[in-house]
Short mmCIF file of all heavy atoms in Angstrom, two decimals:
data_model
loop_
_atom_site.label_atom_id
_atom_site.label_comp_id
_atom_site.label_asym_id
_atom_site.label_seq_id
_atom_site.Cartn_x
_atom_site.Cartn_y
_atom_site.Cartn_z
N LEU G 137 4.92 7.21 4.70
CA LEU G 137 6.07 7.73 3.94
C LEU G 137 6.51 9.08 4.53
O LEU G 137 5.62 9.91 4.78
CB LEU G 137 5.87 7.79 2.52
CG LEU G 137 5.25 6.61 1.78
CD1 LEU G 137 5.09 6.89 0.25
CD2 LEU G 137 6.19 5.37 1.97
N TYR G 138 7.86 9.17 4.71
CA TYR G 138 8.33 10.51 5.13
C TYR G 138 9.54 10.94 4.30
O TYR G 138 10.50 10.22 4.09
CB TYR G 138 8.72 10.40 6.64
CG TYR G 138 9.46 11.66 7.12
CD1 TYR G 138 9.05 12.94 6.92
CD2 TYR G 138 10.62 11.46 7.92
CE1 TYR G 138 9.63 14.02 7.41
CE2 TYR G 138 11.27 12.55 8.47
CZ TYR G 138 10.84 13.87 8.16
OH TYR G 138 11.47 14.87 8.74
N ASP G 139 9.47 12.12 3.75
CA ASP G 139 10.66 12.73 3.00
C ASP G 139 11.28 13.73 3.91
O ASP G 139 10.82 14.81 4.08
CB ASP G 139 10.12 13.37 1.74
CG ASP G 139 11.20 14.16 1.04
OD1 ASP G 139 12.40 14.09 1.42
OD2 ASP G 139 10.84 14.75 -0.08
N PRO G 140 12.45 13.39 4.56
CA PRO G 140 13.07 14.30 5.43
C PRO G 140 13.74 15.45 4.69
O PRO G 140 14.00 16.49 5.41
CB PRO G 140 14.10 13.40 6.18
CG PRO G 140 14.45 12.32 5.24
CD PRO G 140 13.15 12.04 4.46
N ARG G 141 14.04 15.33 3.38
CA ARG G 141 14.78 16.44 2.80
C ARG G 141 13.77 17.58 2.40
O ARG G 141 14.06 18.72 2.72
CB ARG G 141 15.25 15.91 1.37
CG ARG G 141 16.05 16.95 0.61
CD ARG G 141 16.53 16.40 -0.75
NE ARG G 141 17.57 15.39 -0.40
CZ ARG G 141 18.88 15.67 -0.33
NH1 ARG G 141 19.26 16.93 -0.45
NH2 ARG G 141 19.77 14.69 -0.17
N PHE G 142 12.55 17.20 1.91
CA PHE G 142 11.57 18.30 1.52
C PHE G 142 10.45 18.29 2.50
O PHE G 142 9.43 18.95 2.27
CB PHE G 142 11.08 18.00 0.19
CG PHE G 142 12.05 18.33 -0.88
CD1 PHE G 142 12.75 17.27 -1.53
CD2 PHE G 142 12.45 19.62 -1.22
CE1 PHE G 142 13.75 17.50 -2.48
CE2 PHE G 142 13.41 19.82 -2.25
CZ PHE G 142 14.06 18.71 -2.84
N HIS G 143 10.63 17.62 3.64
CA HIS G 143 9.61 17.65 4.77
C HIS G 143 8.24 17.45 4.29
O HIS G 143 7.32 18.34 4.47
CB HIS G 143 9.77 18.97 5.49
CG HIS G 143 9.71 18.89 7.05
ND1 HIS G 143 10.37 17.86 7.67
CD2 HIS G 143 9.17 19.61 7.92
CE1 HIS G 143 10.03 17.92 8.99
NE2 HIS G 143 9.35 19.01 9.16
N ALA G 144 7.95 16.28 3.79
CA ALA G 144 6.55 15.92 3.39
C ALA G 144 6.30 14.48 3.82
O ALA G 144 7.19 13.70 4.04
CB ALA G 144 6.41 15.99 1.86
N VAL G 145 4.99 14.16 3.99
CA VAL G 145 4.58 12.92 4.46
C VAL G 145 3.40 12.37 3.77
O VAL G 145 2.73 13.11 3.05
CB VAL G 145 4.22 12.94 6.01
CG1 VAL G 145 5.38 13.32 6.88
CG2 VAL G 145 3.06 14.02 6.24
N CYS G 146 3.16 11.07 3.87
CA CYS G 146 2.03 10.43 3.17
C CYS G 146 1.52 9.26 3.89
O CYS G 146 2.20 8.53 4.57
CB CYS G 146 2.57 9.94 1.76
SG CYS G 146 1.26 9.18 0.74
N ALA G 147 0.26 9.06 3.97
CA ALA G 147 -0.41 7.94 4.52
C ALA G 147 -1.26 7.17 3.50
O ALA G 147 -2.05 7.81 2.80
CB ALA G 147 -1.30 8.38 5.72
N ILE G 148 -1.05 5.87 3.51
CA ILE G 148 -1.67 5.08 2.34
C ILE G 148 -2.44 3.85 2.87
O ILE G 148 -2.02 3.20 3.79
CB ILE G 148 -0.57 4.53 1.39
CG1 ILE G 148 0.38 5.70 0.88
CG2 ILE G 148 -1.06 3.69 0.23
CD1 ILE G 148 1.81 5.09 0.37
N HIS G 149 -3.65 3.70 2.32
CA HIS G 149 -4.47 2.54 2.62
C HIS G 149 -4.31 1.65 1.43
O HIS G 149 -4.82 1.96 0.26
CB HIS G 149 -5.96 2.91 2.75
CG HIS G 149 -6.92 1.87 2.59
ND1 HIS G 149 -7.77 1.78 1.60
CD2 HIS G 149 -7.11 0.67 3.42
CE1 HIS G 149 -8.50 0.63 1.72
NE2 HIS G 149 -8.08 -0.01 2.83
N ALA G 150 -3.74 0.40 1.64
CA ALA G 150 -3.56 -0.58 0.57
C ALA G 150 -4.22 -1.88 0.97
O ALA G 150 -3.63 -2.81 1.51
CB ALA G 150 -1.95 -0.78 0.36
N GLY G 151 -5.50 -1.98 0.57
CA GLY G 151 -6.21 -3.26 0.54
C GLY G 151 -5.57 -4.12 -0.66
O GLY G 151 -4.78 -3.54 -1.39
N TRP G 152 -6.13 -5.19 -0.90
CA TRP G 152 -5.54 -5.99 -2.07
C TRP G 152 -5.98 -5.31 -3.32
O TRP G 152 -5.12 -5.28 -4.28
CB TRP G 152 -6.09 -7.45 -2.04
CG TRP G 152 -7.48 -7.79 -2.39
CD1 TRP G 152 -8.56 -7.92 -1.68
CD2 TRP G 152 -7.94 -7.85 -3.89
NE1 TRP G 152 -9.60 -8.27 -2.49
CE2 TRP G 152 -9.36 -8.21 -3.81
CE3 TRP G 152 -7.30 -7.80 -5.07
CZ2 TRP G 152 -10.07 -8.45 -4.86
CZ3 TRP G 152 -8.17 -7.94 -6.25
CH2 TRP G 152 -9.42 -8.29 -6.10
N ARG G 153 -7.07 -4.60 -3.44
CA ARG G 153 -7.48 -3.98 -4.63
C ARG G 153 -6.57 -2.76 -4.93
O ARG G 153 -6.15 -2.51 -6.05
CB ARG G 153 -8.94 -3.50 -4.68
CG ARG G 153 -9.95 -4.65 -4.68
CD ARG G 153 -11.34 -4.25 -4.65
NE ARG G 153 -12.36 -5.30 -4.78
CZ ARG G 153 -12.68 -6.08 -3.73
NH1 ARG G 153 -12.21 -5.87 -2.51
NH2 ARG G 153 -13.54 -7.02 -3.89
N GLY G 154 -6.28 -1.97 -3.92
CA GLY G 154 -5.36 -0.91 -3.99
C GLY G 154 -3.97 -1.21 -4.31
O GLY G 154 -3.27 -0.68 -5.06
N THR G 155 -3.53 -2.40 -3.74
CA THR G 155 -2.15 -2.98 -3.98
C THR G 155 -2.10 -3.34 -5.47
O THR G 155 -1.05 -3.04 -6.11
CB THR G 155 -2.00 -4.12 -3.04
OG1 THR G 155 -2.03 -3.69 -1.66
CG2 THR G 155 -0.60 -4.64 -3.31
N VAL G 156 -3.17 -4.03 -5.92
CA VAL G 156 -3.08 -4.43 -7.41
C VAL G 156 -3.03 -3.20 -8.32
O VAL G 156 -2.42 -3.21 -9.39
CB VAL G 156 -4.33 -5.23 -7.67
CG1 VAL G 156 -4.64 -5.44 -9.19
CG2 VAL G 156 -4.22 -6.69 -7.08
N GLN G 157 -3.64 -2.07 -7.84
CA GLN G 157 -3.63 -0.86 -8.58
C GLN G 157 -2.30 -0.01 -8.32
O GLN G 157 -2.29 1.08 -8.83
CB GLN G 157 -4.90 -0.05 -8.32
CG GLN G 157 -6.12 -0.71 -8.78
CD GLN G 157 -7.34 0.16 -8.25
OE1 GLN G 157 -7.60 1.26 -8.67
NE2 GLN G 157 -8.11 -0.43 -7.28
N HIS G 158 -1.37 -0.61 -7.65
CA HIS G 158 0.02 0.02 -7.44
C HIS G 158 -0.18 1.31 -6.69
O HIS G 158 0.58 2.24 -7.01
CB HIS G 158 0.65 0.18 -8.72
CG HIS G 158 0.83 -1.03 -9.53
ND1 HIS G 158 1.92 -1.90 -9.39
CD2 HIS G 158 0.10 -1.57 -10.54
CE1 HIS G 158 1.74 -2.98 -10.18
NE2 HIS G 158 0.66 -2.83 -10.93
N ILE G 159 -0.95 1.33 -5.54
CA ILE G 159 -1.17 2.65 -4.92
C ILE G 159 0.13 3.05 -4.29
O ILE G 159 0.48 4.31 -4.22
CB ILE G 159 -2.27 2.53 -3.90
CG1 ILE G 159 -2.62 3.92 -3.41
CG2 ILE G 159 -1.95 1.52 -2.81
CD1 ILE G 159 -3.88 4.03 -2.62
N ALA G 160 1.01 2.20 -3.72
CA ALA G 160 2.24 2.62 -3.14
C ALA G 160 3.21 3.24 -4.13
O ALA G 160 3.82 4.29 -3.89
CB ALA G 160 2.90 1.40 -2.39
N GLU G 161 3.26 2.65 -5.32
CA GLU G 161 4.16 3.25 -6.42
C GLU G 161 3.57 4.58 -6.76
O GLU G 161 4.35 5.57 -6.96
CB GLU G 161 4.09 2.33 -7.64
CG GLU G 161 4.85 1.07 -7.45
CD GLU G 161 4.69 0.11 -8.66
OE1 GLU G 161 4.58 0.58 -9.83
OE2 GLU G 161 4.82 -1.04 -8.50
N ARG G 162 2.26 4.75 -6.92
CA ARG G 162 1.62 5.95 -7.31
C ARG G 162 1.90 7.05 -6.32
O ARG G 162 2.05 8.20 -6.60
CB ARG G 162 0.13 5.77 -7.55
CG ARG G 162 -0.23 4.94 -8.70
CD ARG G 162 -1.68 4.82 -8.91
NE ARG G 162 -2.09 3.97 -10.01
CZ ARG G 162 -3.28 3.97 -10.61
NH1 ARG G 162 -4.22 4.79 -10.22
NH2 ARG G 162 -3.50 3.11 -11.56
#
Side-chain angles (χ1 to χ4, degrees):
L137 308 179
Y138 173 46
D139 173 4
R141 181 182 295 271
F142 291 102
H143 219 43
V145 293
C146 181
I148 305 162
H149 162 246
W152 77 259
R153 291 178 178 84
T155 300
V156 165
Q157 295 174 68
H158 303 273
I159 190 170
E161 292 178 25
R162 293 186 184 195

